[in-house]
Amino acid sequence: ALRMVGGAKMFGLARPYGWLGLSWRSCRYSTNLVAGSPDAERSLERPKVVILGQPNVGKSTLFNRLTSRSGRRGSGRKTAITLNTPGGHVTRDVIEGRATLGDLRFRVFDTAGHNDERYWQNLGDTPRLENSIAPIVRETLRRSHVALFLVDGRHGLSEPDLALARWVRRNAAPGMLAEGRVRVVLNKCEGLLSRGGSGDLEAAGEEALSLGFGEGVTVSAETGEGMADLYQALWTAFPSDAREAASEAHGQTIRVAVTGRPNVGKSTLVNSLLGYDRVLTGPKPGLTRDSVEVDLPWGGRDFTVVDTAGRVRGSKLPHYDDSGGAVAGRANEDAERAVHFAHVVVLVVDADQILRSVADHRQSSSYLTHFESTIAASALRHGRPLVVLANKMDLVDSADPEERDRVNRLLAEGLPDYQGVRLVPCSAKTGLGVGFLLPAVAEVYDMWRARVQTSHLNAWLEDLKRFHHGGGPTSILGSMRYAAQVKTRPPTFCFWTKKRRGKERKGENSVAKFLRHKLQESFGLTGIPIRVMFR
């Protein structure tokens, strides 16, 4: 499937991922990539805990408490966007993260505040959905070991809480209900816990019993009070096979950040990779807010794919949502953080939009928007390898076949400073070509971690000095005595030189660019960000 017709090259790659003939059409993911039934998956994977509840009861705050170091944002762990909006709906997707509570290690899922499809369709600022949140939450509930039913401990139960309890009883796995693995959590009880309001706590606990899920656990996700009781509740609720997995440390996975402008098909791509609806999709931009992590085993390796919100320019933020840009601004920060902590960055672009922009003469110097070029530059500046995914190729395929070649050429012209970056053309909607993405990601990840032997590097340096011994900026090569790779991720090379004069120091930037190009060309690191330093 990876064979190119006629030996054509894309983006100047030695190993291109093309769409010519049947090569890109033949690689389509099955509809059940993550093999096995939900019960079989639970016996093999780390325990999963889903958080359910009404809006503004503290689900995202508890999620952040479990996934963030010391409960703070910006630590590199996944954090959900929170905003004090009574009756509001900040969280839309089901958000996944790696949780730590004491010596327990598990996967935790933060869900939207409502599971009623009519609620979502009637929201004024919510775009029309192509899929519904209810089936996504239902599937997450069935795949989980434990469900935490969050209730506002200060205000007690409400009719929506009782309706949600009936929904849980209808949709949870029979074993979850029979074994008591749905636990009620009374949140926002910091005042009652700190002031010793035992009477109020007993009243809230008795009210929680009416839900039919046993005794409630009183906590404060904001301050961290009651986490010991939550630990005990989770430990006793986990099945025996899950307890052993919960005691193991989190393993290493390849983190892949999927980023780009709004409405280019990032969420559709993630659903296509998984083979089922995991994140919300819709025709209007701005649907995704939080960065959604999903685990994806492929080819004997574990990937964590992060679906980020569409990046919005700062000048457009005040008018982008009903919060005056507050939520969109935090979503931008979340997406940038996901890129910073990723191993590989996938930049999704709209291939059909590129061709229409050319036809309308809206892009004169670059066929990527300036914002997309900025996103690509940010990833490479952080030292992260980049894969460009040209999405919506099904729209281009209906036109002249030569148009597909034009997309390739225009993207190459749009990234003149990043020659060799992997390009994957596909259609996330139909699944055609999506199977080329993870092979490309695995390849650039392995190259990003590559190490060149010092003896080979110095032999290469001697050959380079013999071929470039003239004047100009490369004259500094004659003063280089030794070279070594001092770091990987990204590959970092240090060159030791003799004492340099002022003119030679001024030419170091051009020499570093020349050396980066030669290193990429000679050691098969094309498209991988390389850092060069002198001593």
Side-chain angles (χ1 to χ4, degrees):
L2 295 177
R3 180 175 57 86
M4 293 294 296
V5 176
K9 293 185 177 181
M10 295 174 23
F11 236 17
L13 297 181
R15 297 179 219 174
Y17 301 89
W19 59 68
L20 299 179
L22 295 177
S23 57
W24 78 285
R25 290 177 176 277
S26 60
C27 202
R28 181 203 297 263
Y29 273 102
S30 68
T31 57
N32 189 17
L33 180 63
V34 184
S37 64
D39 291 335
E41 288 183 8
R42 285 197 298 267
S43 65
L44 297 174
E45 297 181 349
R46 189 175 296 280
K48 297 178 180 179
V49 177
V50 60
I51 303 175
L52 304 171
Q54 297 303 309
N56 208 45
V57 296
K59 298 183 302 299
S60 295
T61 304
L62 178 60
F63 178 88
N64 292 343
R65 168 69 58 179
L66 295 173
T67 58
S68 301
R69 300 188 183 100
S70 302
R72 296 191 299 269
R73 293 177 61 89
S75 63
R77 297 283 190 89
K78 178 69 194 74
T79 52
I81 298 175
T82 58
L83 199 64
N84 187 16
T85 55
H89 50 279
V90 175
T91 302
R92 288 176 173 172
D93 277 294
V94 174
I95 308 165
E96 182 177 353
R98 296 185 177 190
T100 301
L101 184 60
D103 59 353
L104 294 182
R105 307 291 186 271
F106 53 94
R107 306 294 298 185
V108 62
F109 298 86
D110 180 21
T111 63
H114 274 272
N115 302 308
D116 185 356
E117 184 177 357
R118 290 174 298 176
Y119 171 86
W120 284 94
Q121 301 295 354
N122 292 332
L123 290 177
D125 71 324
T126 301
R128 181 173 61 87
L129 303 181
E130 291 181 349
N131 53 5
S132 172
I133 186 62
I136 297 176
V137 176
R138 183 184 304 115
E139 184 67 18
T140 304
L141 174 63
R142 291 176 177 174
R143 291 174 179 267
S144 299
H145 293 84
V146 178
L148 297 181
F149 192 115
L150 248 67
V151 177
D152 190 335
R154 299 171 303 178
H155 300 146
L157 298 181
S158 61
E159 181 57 35
D161 290 322
L162 300 177
L164 181 58
R166 291 191 293 269
W167 183 91
V168 171
R169 280 191 286 270
R170 288 196 309 267
N171 294 283
M176 175 178 284
L177 296 174
E179 298 171 11
R181 290 190 271 123
V182 179
R183 305 306 301 265
V184 179
V185 178
L186 304 172
N187 192 27
K188 301 187 178 182
C189 294
E190 52 270 17
L192 300 178
L193 291 169
S194 60
R195 293 194 298 266
S198 57
D200 294 332
L201 289 177
E202 290 179 2
E206 291 176 359
E207 192 176 15
L209 287 172
S210 63
L211 292 174
F213 300 130
E215 295 183 359
V217 181
T218 307
V219 303
S220 170
E222 183 68 31
T223 64
E225 298 174 78
M227 289 296 110
D229 295 333
L230 182 61
Y231 170 93
Q232 186 64 30
L234 287 175
W235 176 255
T236 55
F238 283 152
S240 57
D241 57 341
R243 292 178 185 176
E244 182 178 355
S247 302
E248 299 176 359
H250 287 298
Q252 293 297 321
T253 64
I254 302 176
R255 292 185 61 85
V256 183
V258 181
T259 187
R261 296 185 299 111
N263 206 35
V264 294
K266 300 181 296 297
S267 298
T268 305
L269 172 66
V270 173
N271 287 341
S272 182
L273 284 170
L274 292 172
Y276 61 90
D277 285 346
R278 172 61 179 80
V279 290
L280 293 174
T281 59
K284 293 184 179 180
L287 182 57
T288 302
R289 287 178 170 176
D290 291 276
S291 295
V292 182
E293 294 185 4
V294 294
D295 286 340
L296 179 62
W298 177 85
R301 312 178 78 166
D302 293 327
F303 294 81
T304 298
V305 182
V306 185
D307 177 26
T308 65
R311 308 287 282 276
V312 184
R313 289 181 180 275
S315 58
K316 296 182 179 180
L317 287 177
H319 311 288
Y320 196 74
D321 55 39
D322 59 346
S323 63
V327 174
R330 295 187 187 181
N332 270 357
E333 296 173 3
D334 208 22
E336 181 66 24
R337 187 185 304 110
V339 169
H340 181 73
F341 288 99
H343 296 142
V344 180
V345 177
V346 176
L347 174 62
V348 182
V349 299
D350 187 339
D352 182 57
Q353 180 65 36
I354 291 175
L355 290 179
R356 285 191 281 117
S357 298
V358 173
D360 297 341
H361 304 286
R362 292 201 297 265
Q363 297 286 345
S364 57
S365 59
S366 173
Y367 299 104
L368 291 180
T369 66
H370 176 72
F371 200 38
E372 287 171 333
S373 299
T374 301
I375 295 173
S378 174
L380 295 172
R381 184 175 65 252
H382 288 311
R384 301 301 184 262
L386 182 69
V387 175
V388 178
L389 187 137
N391 193 23
K392 304 187 181 181
M393 287 299 299
D394 55 312
L395 302 179
V396 177
D397 188 48
S398 61
D400 188 347
E402 294 182 359
E403 295 291 284
R404 301 195 295 270
D405 299 329
R406 290 186 64 201
V407 173
N408 174 41
R409 177 175 55 81
L410 295 175
L411 284 174
E413 294 176 1
L415 291 170
D417 297 331
Y418 313 115
Q419 292 297 322
V421 170
R422 272 38 177 185
L423 171 64
V424 179
C426 77
S427 169
K429 185 176 182 179
T430 64
L432 296 176
V434 174
F436 289 116
L437 177 58
L438 292 184
V441 168
E443 181 185 12
V444 298
Y445 175 75
D446 292 336
M447 295 167 64
W448 185 56
R449 298 171 63 244
R451 181 173 292 276
V452 180
Q453 291 186 15
T454 304
S455 58
H456 295 171
L457 186 61
N458 282 277
W460 166 84
L461 178 60
E462 292 301 319
D463 291 339
L464 194 66
K465 290 163 67 175
R466 282 196 294 269
F467 281 102
H468 299 275
H469 52 76
T474 58
S475 60
I476 191 178
L477 295 176
S479 64
M480 292 184 180
R481 300 178 297 176
Y482 183 74
Q485 183 176 353
V486 296
K487 185 178 175 293
T488 61
R489 303 174 52 170
T492 303
F493 298 88
C494 184
F495 293 85
W496 281 262
T497 66
K498 300 176 183 177
K499 188 175 181 180
R500 292 158 285 166
R501 297 186 295 271
K503 183 184 294 187
E504 292 177 338
R505 290 181 179 274
K506 292 181 180 179
E508 283 185 355
N509 289 336
S510 57
V511 174
K513 185 176 181 180
F514 169 79
L515 289 173
R516 280 195 295 268
H517 174 71
K518 290 298 181 182
L519 286 166
Q520 290 173 334
E521 185 181 74
S522 302
F523 295 103
L525 299 176
T526 306
I528 304 300
I530 289 179
R531 292 173 179 170
V532 172
M533 60 179 65
F534 300 100
R535 288 184 181 177

